[in-house]
């Protein structure tokens, strides 16, 4: 590739306080975790106060809000239930995401100890620890997530691209043309006043006659 | 084909059929000979006599009100909250390749935030020689690059994995836009900070509450990623990341982090929420693909389509649509009128840009009979857009993301068009 360009001297050094304020990412091996700890019962209280109004008292989810616990063993079901316990590969992601982006609408209001406690409570809710469990920076890396081995990097170059590459059929192709599914049967698309899908282009013949919808 | 007349009693359909019949009759008469002089021609119209709007009426204009249907639309039931949600580009009504920013789709995880250029800061941290802070003004002093690229949400068409669900390509393929971006190559910013040899991954995060943090391998970061501040000639729209966003050509839209505030260099992927819980693709064995970054070759016929029915009756008909590939240029698009039994090559407009929307057209003579329309894109790697069934045979039904299967429209004799699957 091209030789590295000479730095232009733009920008200024980031100060340690600035880096600490913004770079709060936690990596899968626990790098980035701050000092602190929290137990399941404290987590239960913090969760009840900050989280349960959407995610339920037991992290089971209210209405259509995300389910955080349950669904173990459902990943091959017709409708899988993908939760922290059933699906997520790393505990670091729970800590990192809750700390930076939750509660929804009031993010970055939880202390590190709050987040350790909530994380401990979510482990308990998913049946992964006992109710006297205390999570800390020190024992964080010891927690093994049930679905830690459940992911693999994109393999489309091996499993799909060879099959989908090459000259396609152009005539007398073996294609089934019986209609098997129709979206109108579900009738879940937003519609306009005329009953057609919202945004349907106007019939210019009707517009010319002055009968088009405004 | 089977009889499918069960919609005959639907009032909207009856109204449509009546209108289509009336317009066909008018057209037939018009084509033969006008019944009488057209008053729009023979009578002086107000706009040919009086004034129009002055030049100071509209310092920044909006489309004429007749085009009010050409807007973003959302589907409430798709998500639990409208601030972590999606809306859809009206691709059924657009032509060419550039998406007007004002109707280009949005996807936020904690709403569209307002961040001024004055308040804007960009930090580079991690495995670099010089952790840096840039102001917006600093960024404007780097040498710039320009490129056109499509941004397609990883979930575009995701609701259609299990069957034909939504009615209109705005809803089934409209989580996409295509803009001309101007900005600074990410490589220039990284060189300014000096990436250490052990730095293998870039992590982007936004200034919004969701942060939308994502990991990108260093090779891609150095190849063609832009840190953009202009789109289609002007500043980014608020909802598209004003004042600064990442442009990651060919890769899933979630990686195009908006309101970009931090670029960190790590020796490993962060495996953030947006690349573990989300944007991982469940497979039939219960395991999931991760890091499915590239958007594969795809196409859709935008007209005719369910929101763009044929009102004009039989005769000349323009079939047109969009094709794109995250792997490079579109080489060819084939169109079928008979559900994939036979195909013909469409015309490609201009010189297709790599990793950008490409316009195709096929003018035909429509005899007024039913058609089962499909389009099939081929990119410069030789990859041919698969059918949905071919994808499902490998991936099952719960992939959620990356549905680039061939779309089928059933054009009825009335000119109405439906989203269907065939088999």
């Amino acid at each position: 590739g091209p030789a590295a360009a000479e730095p232009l001297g733009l920008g200024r050094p980031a100060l340690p306080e600035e880096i600490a304020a913004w770079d709060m990412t936690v990596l899968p091996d626990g790098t980035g975790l701050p000092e602190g700890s929290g137990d399941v019962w404290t987590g239960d209280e913090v969760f009840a106060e900050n989280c349960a109004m959407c995610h339920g008292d037991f992290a089971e989810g209210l209405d259509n809000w995300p389910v955080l616990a349950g669904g173990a063993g459902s990943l091959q079901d017709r409708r899988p239930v993908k939760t922290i316990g059933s699906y997520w590969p790393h505990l670091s992601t729970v800590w990192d995401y809750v700390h930076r982006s939750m509660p929804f609408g009031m993010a970055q209001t939880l202390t590190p100890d709050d987040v350790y406690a909530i994380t401990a409570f979510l482990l308990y809710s998913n049946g992964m620890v006992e109710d006297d469990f205390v999570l800390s920076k020190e024992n964080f890396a010891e927690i093994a997530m049930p679905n830690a081995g459940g992911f693999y990097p994109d393999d489309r170059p091996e499993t799909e691209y060879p099959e989908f590459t090459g000259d396609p059929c152009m005539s007398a192709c073996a294609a089934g043309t019986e209609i098997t599914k129709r979206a109108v049967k579900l009738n879940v698309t937003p519609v306009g006043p005329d009953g057609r899908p919202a945004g349907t282009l106007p019939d210019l013949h009707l517009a010319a006659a002055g009968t088009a919808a405004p | 084909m089977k009889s499918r007349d069960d919609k005959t009693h639907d009032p909207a359909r009856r109204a449509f059929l009546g209108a289509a019949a009336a317009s066909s009759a008018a057209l037939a008469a018009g084509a033969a000979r006008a019944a009488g002089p057209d008053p729009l021609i023979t009578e002086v119209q107000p706009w040919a006599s009086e004034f129009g709007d002055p030049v100071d009426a509209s310092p920044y204009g909006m489309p004429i009100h007749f085009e009010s249907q050409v807007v973003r639309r959302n589907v409430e039931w798709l998500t639990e909250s409208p601030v972590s949600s999606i809306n859809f580009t009206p691709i059924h009504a657009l032509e060419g390749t550039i998406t007007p920013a004002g109707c280009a789709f949005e996807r936020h995880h904690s709403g569209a935030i307002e961040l001024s250029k004055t308040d804007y800061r960009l930090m580079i941290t991690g495995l670099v020689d010089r952790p840096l802070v840039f102001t917006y003004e600093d960024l404007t002093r780097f040498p710039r690059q320009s490129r056109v690229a499509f941004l397609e949400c990883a979930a575009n068409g995701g609701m259609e994995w299990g069957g034909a669900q939504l009615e209109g390509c705005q809803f089934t393929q409209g989580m996409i836009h295509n803009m001309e971006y101007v900005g600074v190559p990410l490589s220039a910013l990284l060189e300014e900070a000096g990436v250490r040899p052990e730095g293998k991954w870039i992590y982007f995060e936004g200034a919004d509450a969701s942060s939308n943090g994502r990991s990108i391998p260093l090779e891609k970061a150095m190849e063609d990623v832009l840190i953009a501040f202009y789109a289609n000639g002007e500043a980014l729209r608020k909802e598209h990341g004003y004042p600064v966003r990442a442009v990651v050509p060919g890769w899933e839209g979630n990686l195009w982090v908006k309101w970009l505030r931090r670029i960190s260099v790590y020796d490993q992927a962060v495996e953030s929420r947006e690349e573990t819980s989300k944007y991982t693709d469940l497979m039939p064995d219960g395991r999931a693909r991760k890091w499915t970054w590239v958007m594969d070759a795809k196409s859709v016929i935008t007209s005719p389509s369910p929101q763009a029915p044929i009102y004009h009756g039989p005769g000349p008909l323009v079939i047109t649509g969009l094709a794109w590939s995250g792997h490079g240029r579109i080489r060819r698009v084939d169109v079928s009128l008979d559900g994939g039994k036979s195909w013909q090559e469409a015309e490609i407009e201009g010189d297709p840009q790599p990793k950008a929307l490409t316009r195709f057209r096929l003018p035909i003579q429509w005899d007024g009979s039913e058609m089962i329309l499909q389009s099939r894109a081929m990119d410069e790697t030789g990859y041919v857009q698969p059918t949905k069934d071919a994808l499902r045979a490998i991936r099952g039904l719960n992939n959620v993301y990356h549905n680039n299967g061939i779309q089928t429209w059933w054009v009825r004799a009335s000119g109405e068009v439906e989203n269907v699957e065939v088999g």
Side-chain angles (χ1 to χ4, degrees):
Chain A
E6 281 294 303
L8 297 173
L10 293 168
R12 60 154 176 92
L15 301 176
E17 299 89 333
E18 295 171 332
I19 295 172
W22 275 11
D23 187 350
M24 44 184 153
T25 298
V26 180
L27 302 176
D29 64 6
T31 301
L33 281 170
E35 295 299 331
S37 67
D39 61 78
V40 171
W41 286 108
T42 306
D44 186 24
E45 289 171 21
V46 180
F47 197 86
E49 196 171 319
N50 294 282
C51 320
M53 66 285 277
C54 295
H55 296 295
D57 287 338
F58 308 100
E60 79 282 15
L62 297 181
D63 301 325
N64 290 320
W65 295 103
V67 180
L68 307 183
S74 72
L75 298 182
Q76 287 182 270
D77 291 358
R78 189 164 167 272
R79 296 194 183 281
V81 179
K82 297 190 286 184
T83 72
I84 291 167
S86 70
Y87 190 65
W88 290 34
H90 307 295
L91 192 61
S92 56
T93 314
V94 179
W95 205 100
D96 177 84
Y97 182 69
V98 171
H99 183 228
R100 198 187 41 255
S101 298
M102 286 287 143
F104 195 50
M106 215 170 52
Q108 302 197 68
T109 56
L110 298 169
T111 67
D113 283 346
D114 287 340
V115 181
Y116 277 110
I118 289 173
T119 306
F121 172 74
L122 290 171
L123 290 172
Y124 173 74
S125 302
N126 276 287
M128 292 171 59
V129 298
E130 299 299 321
D131 64 3
D132 60 353
F133 178 71
V134 183
L135 182 68
S136 67
K137 181 184 178 184
E138 286 67 38
N139 69 359
F140 195 91
E142 295 165 17
I143 305 294
M145 300 295 279
N147 198 40
F151 297 81
Y152 54 97
D154 188 3
D155 67 346
R156 286 175 293 174
E158 295 80 46
T159 57
E160 296 189 5
Y161 298 163
E163 181 177 337
F164 298 150
T165 299
D167 288 334
C169 177
M170 293 299 286
S171 62
C173 309
T177 56
E178 286 298 323
I179 287 171
T180 55
K181 298 263 175 61
R182 294 173 64 192
V184 292
K185 295 280 193 188
L186 294 178
N187 195 26
V188 292
T189 306
V191 294
D194 58 1
R196 294 191 217 160
T200 296
L201 302 183
D203 183 342
L204 299 181
H205 302 93
L206 298 182
T211 54
Chain B
M1 279 177 290
K2 288 184 289 195
S3 170
R4 306 174 199 100
D5 281 334
D6 44 332
K7 290 288 285 181
T8 315
H9 301 291
D10 177 71
R13 177 167 153 71
R14 275 208 309 277
F16 181 95
L17 288 170
S23 59
S24 300
L27 185 87
R33 184 165 181 273
D38 184 346
L40 283 165
I41 298 170
T42 57
E43 295 173 10
V44 176
Q45 300 298 312
W47 55 80
S49 175
E50 301 161 13
F51 292 131
D53 294 337
V55 295
D56 57 358
S58 180
Y60 198 109
M62 292 287 285
I64 193 165
H65 63 90
F66 302 124
E67 296 296 311
S68 61
Q69 70 281 354
V70 189
V71 293
R72 299 166 181 146
R73 295 189 184 271
N74 67 315
V75 177
E76 277 181 30
W77 55 265
L78 283 175
T79 54
E80 65 274 10
S81 164
V83 293
S84 181
S85 195
I86 191 83
N87 63 26
F88 300 92
T89 304
I91 56 171
H92 66 293
L94 303 177
E95 249 285 3
T97 59
I98 294 294
T99 313
C103 66
F105 90 103
E106 305 168 67
R107 201 291 186 237
H108 318 301
H109 293 80
S110 50
I113 61 165
E114 185 175 289
L115 178 57
S116 73
K117 290 176 179 173
T118 314
D119 291 344
Y120 180 78
R121 297 290 184 274
L122 176 64
M123 185 185 290
I124 302 188
T125 63
L127 297 170
V128 293
D129 296 329
R130 297 173 292 278
L132 293 172
V133 171
F134 298 107
T135 62
Y136 180 83
E137 186 179 49
D138 292 333
L139 296 181
T140 66
R141 299 171 68 190
F142 281 90
R144 294 176 204 174
Q145 279 185 6
S146 170
R147 72 174 297 149
V148 176
F150 73 81
L151 184 171
E152 182 183 19
C153 180
N156 198 21
M159 312 79 74
E160 304 285 308
W161 267 117
Q165 184 157 222
L166 287 162
E167 196 68 336
C169 64
Q170 177 169 19
F171 303 106
T172 55
Q173 278 87 10
M175 297 181 195
I176 193 164
H177 57 60
N178 191 66
M179 304 196 195
E180 183 199 36
Y181 295 97
V182 175
V184 177
L186 175 57
S187 59
L189 297 182
L190 292 172
E191 281 157 9
E192 199 70 17
V195 176
R196 293 185 183 163
E198 61 270 34
K200 302 295 180 202
W201 290 82
I202 301 301
Y203 186 69
F204 284 145
E205 74 177 14
D208 61 317
S210 84
S211 98
N212 200 65
R214 286 294 309 253
S215 307
I216 294 175
L218 186 64
E219 297 74 37
K220 176 68 174 178
M222 300 303 283
E223 182 193 345
D224 61 359
V225 176
L226 268 191
I227 304 305
F229 16 95
Y230 295 93
N232 293 349
E234 62 181 355
L236 294 164
R237 296 292 172 101
K238 173 176 96 171
E239 61 272 30
H240 296 142
Y242 181 94
V244 176
R245 84 171 310 162
V247 167
V248 190
W251 286 23
E252 61 187 14
N254 181 258
L255 294 150
W256 296 47
V257 175
K258 296 186 286 192
W259 314 292
L260 183 70
R261 85 168 190 186
R262 184 169 65 100
I263 301 166
S264 275
V265 182
Y266 295 110
D267 61 354
Q268 58 189 295
V270 168
E271 304 239 12
S272 70
R273 187 254 197 180
E274 302 293 329
E275 55 203 18
T276 54
S277 171
K278 308 299 178 190
Y279 308 98
T280 53
D281 316 344
L282 191 59
M283 299 290 283
D285 67 356
R287 296 188 304 149
R289 288 173 176 162
K290 64 177 179 180
W291 302 343
T292 46
W293 297 308
V294 179
M295 302 306 291
D296 292 328
K298 187 169 176 179
S299 67
V300 63
I301 293 169
T302 53
S303 181
S305 65
Q307 298 158 289
I310 305 169
Y311 294 116
H312 55 55
L317 171 70
V318 176
I319 296 171
T320 186
L322 294 165
W324 61 97
S325 172
H327 293 282
R329 290 177 172 81
I330 289 295
R331 179 193 290 172
R332 196 176 100 190
V333 181
D334 300 325
V335 169
S336 175
L337 312 180
D338 57 9
K341 287 182 183 165
S342 64
W343 297 84
Q344 48 193 314
E345 198 173 329
E347 301 163 2
I348 300 278
E349 183 178 80
D351 295 322
Q353 298 294 300
K355 307 174 187 179
L357 290 190
T358 299
R359 174 63 58 177
F360 68 87
R361 297 189 192 92
L362 181 71
I364 67 164
Q365 287 289 329
W366 184 43
D367 64 7
S369 59
E370 288 190 3
M371 295 187 285
I372 302 177
L373 294 182
Q374 297 180 336
S375 62
R376 182 177 69 190
M378 183 193 289
D379 70 22
E380 63 182 318
T381 71
Y383 175 97
V384 178
Q385 183 184 2
T387 62
K388 292 181 187 176
D389 284 341
L391 289 172
R392 289 169 185 149
I394 297 170
R395 303 190 202 168
L397 290 171
N398 287 311
N399 222 228
V400 180
Y401 306 105
H402 292 280
N403 179 2
N404 66 320
I406 289 174
Q407 172 71 53
T408 306
W409 303 133
W410 176 28
V411 179
R412 311 184 62 166
S414 64
E416 271 183 300
V417 182
E418 286 191 25
N419 174 15
V420 298
E421 290 199 7
V422 289

